[in-house]
Amino acid sequence: MGAMLARGLKDGFAGTWPLALGVAFGDFAWAVAALLTLNQVASFHADLIFWLKYVAVFVFFAMGVHLLRLKIETINLPNQLTRPGMLAGLLAGILVILGNPKAILFYIGILPGFFTVAALQPIDIAVIGGLSAWVPFLGNLALALMFDHVSKMFNSPVLRQRINRITGVVLICVGGLIFIS
C-alpha cells in the first residue's frame, strides 16, 4: 500500500498501474505456492490442514493488534519504490509482494476453508491463483485512480490512526469468525 501511495503521489496512475500489475503477479505466485504446498501437506497429513485454520486466526489477530498499537509517523518511503518507469514499477510490485511472507500464510490459512485442497486439479489451482491476482489488481487500479483524494487524507495523522484502528478491529473480527467457523 505504501508503494502504491508513493508511486501514485509521484507519477499518478501512469506510475502506479505497473506496480499494481507486479503485485498481481506476486499474489498469483503466493496463491499457487500455497495451494501446491497444501496439496502436498494434505496428501501426507490431512489433520494438519485443520490446524492451519488456527494459523490464519493467529495471523489475523496479530495483524489487527499490531495495527491497533501502531504509532503513526510521517510517511517516509525509499526511493527504490518511486523510481520512474514501467519496468521499475512492475519489478517493485513483484518484489514488494514476494517480500511479504504474510501473504502465503494468509493463503495457507484461508484457502482450505473454501476449497477441498486434496481434490484440486492443476486447472483449479491456476483459476484460484488467477482470481487471487485479478481481484487485488482491480482494487489496486481503483486505488490508483483515486490518489488525488487519498493523498490528502493520508497526510493527516489523525485519519491514518483512525484507519489503522478500524482495520485492526476488522482483522481481529475476521480472525474471530474463522475461529468459530
Side-chain angles (χ1 to χ4, degrees):
M1 194 59 65
M4 291 285 296
L5 182 60
R7 290 188 69 84
L9 292 175
K10 185 173 180 191
D11 298 319
F13 184 79
T16 308
W17 78 264
L19 183 106
L21 184 61
V23 169
F25 285 137
D27 281 329
F28 178 84
W30 278 131
V32 169
L35 287 169
L36 293 176
T37 302
L38 288 169
N39 258 335
Q40 294 297 315
V41 170
S43 66
F44 295 113
H45 305 286
D47 292 339
L48 186 58
I49 298 296
F50 170 79
W51 293 105
L52 285 175
K53 165 183 166 179
Y54 297 103
V55 170
V57 169
F58 174 76
V59 169
F60 280 117
F61 278 165
M63 288 176 15
V65 168
H66 173 71
L67 281 173
L68 291 174
R69 299 182 72 213
L70 189 65
K71 181 180 175 190
I72 297 298
E73 297 175 0
T74 59
I75 297 174
N76 188 10
L77 297 167
N79 290 337
Q80 295 88 339
L81 295 177
T82 58
R83 198 170 281 150
M86 192 169 81
L87 182 60
L90 180 70
L91 291 176
I94 291 171
L95 293 174
V96 163
I97 197 68
L98 291 181
N100 179 12
K102 290 184 303 246
I104 196 166
L105 292 176
F106 171 79
Y107 287 121
I108 285 175
I110 205 84
L111 291 175
F114 292 100
F115 305 104
T116 306
V117 176
L120 293 177
Q121 299 299 312
I123 189 70
D124 302 322
I125 293 172
V127 168
I128 293 167
L131 288 173
S132 297
W134 184 248
V135 171
F137 177 64
L138 291 178
N140 283 336
L141 285 182
L143 182 63
L145 290 170
M146 296 184 284
F147 269 121
D148 285 336
H149 301 293
V150 173
S151 66
K152 293 175 184 121
M153 291 188 322
F154 275 107
N155 285 330
S156 164
V158 172
L159 186 56
R160 285 200 333 261
Q161 180 70 35
R162 192 173 300 149
I163 290 169
N164 281 352
R165 288 177 193 251
I166 292 168
T167 305
V169 169
V170 168
L171 286 170
I172 290 170
C173 290
V174 168
L177 289 173
I178 291 171
F179 182 77
I180 63 174
S181 67

